[in-house]
Amino acid sequence: EQVVERARAGEDFAELAREVSEAGTKAEGGLLGELERGDLSAQLEDVAFTLEERQVSDPIETQGQEITAREILDRGAEKIDRELVDQPAVRANLLSTMGRVYTGLGLYGQATELLDSALEADSESGDRSDVRDIRTRIALAAALYLRGEYGRSEAVAREALDHARALDPAAPEAKINAMIVLADVLSDTGVDQEAEALYRDALDRIGALAEGEEAQRARALDRLAVLMMYQDRLDEAQSY
């Protein structure tokens, strides 16, 4: 109820979702995509389709059969393939978002399929976005890494970093994220020297930004400290 009050007071819903949600859509700010009648349980539809834009409902305690985020995503993926064949840019954007959500749910196989499809759609688009392509490659590299496909993950992460460097300084956040994902893979495959250099470079770039990227800063610091611990550089690791 406190969260509802904050939302009604004007706080950004996506930021609230990232802060308090426990769902797999947390990283995407609670985004489930475009929904139609039949996508949700009747209990939820009775409320969702009567709300005005930006209106916040009271909390709903569902009973009986509930639709899961996974079910909504699966239906959404089918709908994208069926209805957006002639809109590759839109399809690429939605598939990339859904791929990241699937990763958040731990469904790495499905995530990589969606992210591969997003890259293919982006290549077909006359409105291709370099930044979107880089972000999708970073997400794909991360999903592959979590799936244990280190070889392909490294290759995709290097592609993302090369593309981000070509855009530098237009996409500083993308470059930082590509560095960290690539460093994660290299650290886990024993390429410690290059991994450490990438973590340090990413941290320097994060420090140069006015704000944001705190989560990535914490991740890079943690991974760098772990890398040092495995090298018996305990004094240095504790400083992080």
Side-chain angles (χ1 to χ4, degrees):
E1 293 182 358
Q2 292 179 346
V3 176
V4 172
E5 291 176 2
R6 290 170 61 185
R8 287 175 174 167
E11 289 194 44
D12 184 79
F13 179 86
E15 291 303 320
L16 283 172
R18 293 187 184 100
E19 177 185 340
V20 304
S21 176
E22 297 179 355
T25 56
K26 176 177 181 176
E28 303 300 328
L31 177 66
L32 291 175
E34 183 176 344
L35 298 173
E36 297 178 354
R37 287 194 177 275
D39 288 341
L40 299 171
S41 66
Q43 186 176 5
L44 291 175
E45 286 188 353
D46 287 344
V47 176
F49 288 96
T50 59
L51 293 174
E52 297 180 1
E53 185 175 355
R54 299 187 182 280
Q55 184 180 0
V56 179
S57 74
D58 292 328
I60 303 170
E61 183 176 353
T62 56
Q63 298 176 350
Q65 183 179 6
E66 300 177 21
I67 190 166
T68 65
R70 167 72 185 278
E71 290 171 323
I72 293 174
L73 288 169
D74 287 346
R75 294 179 188 180
E78 293 174 2
K79 187 180 298 184
I80 289 170
D81 286 337
R82 184 175 64 251
E83 299 181 4
L84 298 177
V85 175
D86 298 326
Q87 300 180 58
V90 176
R91 193 166 80 250
N93 190 51
L94 290 175
L95 288 171
S96 183
T97 297
M98 292 178 69
R100 291 193 293 273
V101 174
Y102 269 99
T103 299
L105 291 170
L107 303 168
Y108 307 129
Q110 293 89 335
T112 56
E113 290 178 7
L114 287 167
L115 293 164
D116 275 327
S117 295
L119 289 173
E120 182 179 351
D122 213 12
S123 68
E124 298 170 358
S125 172
D127 186 27
R128 183 178 178 277
S129 167
D130 288 330
V131 173
R132 181 175 62 219
D133 177 89
I134 293 167
R135 288 174 176 165
T136 301
R137 289 180 191 277
I138 292 169
L140 176 58
L144 290 165
Y145 165 71
L146 291 167
R147 199 181 182 190
E149 295 186 28
Y150 297 128
R152 189 178 175 216
S153 177
E154 179 183 343
V156 174
R158 290 191 185 279
E159 290 174 357
L161 183 54
D162 287 344
H163 292 182
R165 282 171 171 160
L167 285 181
D168 195 33
E173 295 86 357
K175 188 172 183 178
I176 289 166
N177 291 336
M179 286 180 171
I180 293 174
V181 170
L182 177 56
D184 287 347
V185 179
L186 295 175
S187 177
D188 280 11
T189 54
V191 190
D192 293 347
Q193 187 173 355
E194 185 179 359
E196 180 173 343
L198 286 166
Y199 284 133
R200 290 186 181 279
D201 194 356
L203 287 167
D204 288 343
R205 292 174 184 277
I206 291 171
L209 295 177
E211 59 182 12
E213 300 301 314
E214 286 306 310
Q216 292 296 63
R217 180 178 184 275
R219 175 179 166 190
L221 285 170
D222 179 68
R223 293 283 300 188
L224 180 57
V226 170
L227 186 151
M228 290 177 174
M229 288 178 64
Y230 279 114
Q231 296 176 338
D232 292 327
R233 296 158 61 188
L234 299 182
D235 291 340
E236 287 183 78
Q238 288 174 354
S239 68
Y240 286 93

